[in-house]
Amino acid sequence: MFAFVLGFHAMTTPLQAQTPPLKLVALGDSLTAGYNLPGSAAFPAVLEKLLREKGISVEIANAGVSGDTSQGGLERLDWSVPDGTDGVILELGANDALRGIDPAVAEKALDAIVTRLKARGIPVLLAGMYAPRNLGSDYATRFDGLYPRIAEKHGLILYPFFLDGIAGDRVLNQPDLLHPTAEGVRVIATRILPTVERFLATLRPRS
């Protein structure tokens, strides 16, 4: 009986010693949701797999909604990011630019999202976006600059361009040249991975 108790203790102790996984929410649009892709090929799932392969215990919820603008993300913020969330990867703004929405409107909404999450004690990693160049240099300058401004104002870690490495690539994008293929998502996730690791290192460990 004593040997059995020792054996049972040996089997259960490592499990008890494990810390709960960090719970992240990827809040975004179709680039997060995984437009035309299976859930396992969407950005949150691919990023989670890469992190777990590096021994980082994490769960990333997919709160991407295709077609969402920054304002749309703000309007659904409270139910998209539940209590108990350890951090948010914020990827919004692409649809604002595609629709030519005033960058000041997008900036106000994104700033409000960050402000509300900070008030709840939820850190944010901000994923930036660049405006299409056919909208003109003035628009591009105003739009591109809103992400660094928000990051500086709130002291956020900024990943400057979410589509870095795949923008305009016909191989890594679907025929619309707006949404990544499964391989394109893997490129995105691989490139943002070091920034996400740096972000995770700033989060308070969960007990």
Side-chain angles (χ1 to χ4, degrees), residues 110-112 114-115 118 149-156:
L110 289 169
D111 183 81
V114 174
T115 298
K118 285 179 67 177
R149 284 193 298 272
I150 292 173
E152 182 177 5
K153 175 181 177 180
H154 293 282
L156 307 181

Side-chain angles (χ1 to χ4, degrees), residues 64-195:
V65 173
S66 293
D68 228 357
T69 61
S70 299
Q71 182 62 37
L74 174 61
E75 291 170 357
R76 64 182 174 90
L77 178 63
D78 291 338
W79 59 263
S80 293
V81 182
D83 291 340
T85 297
D86 294 304
V88 167
I89 299 173
L90 178 57
E91 175 277 305
L92 282 168
N95 288 309
D96 298 73
L98 288 174
R99 298 177 189 181
I101 293 173
D102 186 340
V105 173
E107 184 167 357
K108 181 179 179 181
L110 289 169
D111 183 81
I113 290 173
V114 174
T115 298
R116 282 167 57 174
L117 289 173
K118 285 179 67 177
R120 294 173 58 189
I122 301 175
V124 177
L125 187 164
L126 183 60
M129 186 58 59
Y130 295 155
R133 273 22 196 177
N134 62 353
L135 294 176
S137 59
D138 177 66
Y139 186 95
T141 298
R142 293 170 60 217
F143 184 88
D144 296 358
L146 72 87
Y147 295 94
R149 284 193 298 272
I150 292 173
E152 182 177 5
K153 175 181 177 180
H154 293 282
L156 307 181
I157 291 177
L158 171 67
Y159 185 70
F161 184 36
F162 187 72
L163 297 177
D164 183 45
I166 76 157
D169 190 318
R170 294 186 178 276
V171 175
L172 297 176
N173 283 281
Q174 298 177 41
D176 61 12
L177 286 181
L178 295 174
H179 299 96
T181 61
E183 180 57 32
V185 172
R186 282 192 286 272
V187 172
I188 291 172
T190 300
R191 288 194 174 226
I192 200 174
L193 183 61
T195 303

Side-chain angles (χ1 to χ4, degrees), residues 5-53:
V5 173
L6 282 178
F8 180 77
H9 178 76
M11 287 188 296
T12 56
T13 299
L15 293 177
Q16 292 170 345
Q18 289 179 355
T19 57
L22 288 168
K23 293 186 179 295
L24 303 184
V25 171
L27 179 66
D29 47 40
S30 57
L31 299 176
T32 290
Y35 178 79
N36 270 349
L37 298 174
S40 60
F43 168 72
V46 175
L47 179 62
E48 179 181 306
K49 183 173 184 292
L50 290 175
L51 288 165
R52 287 181 173 270
E53 287 173 353

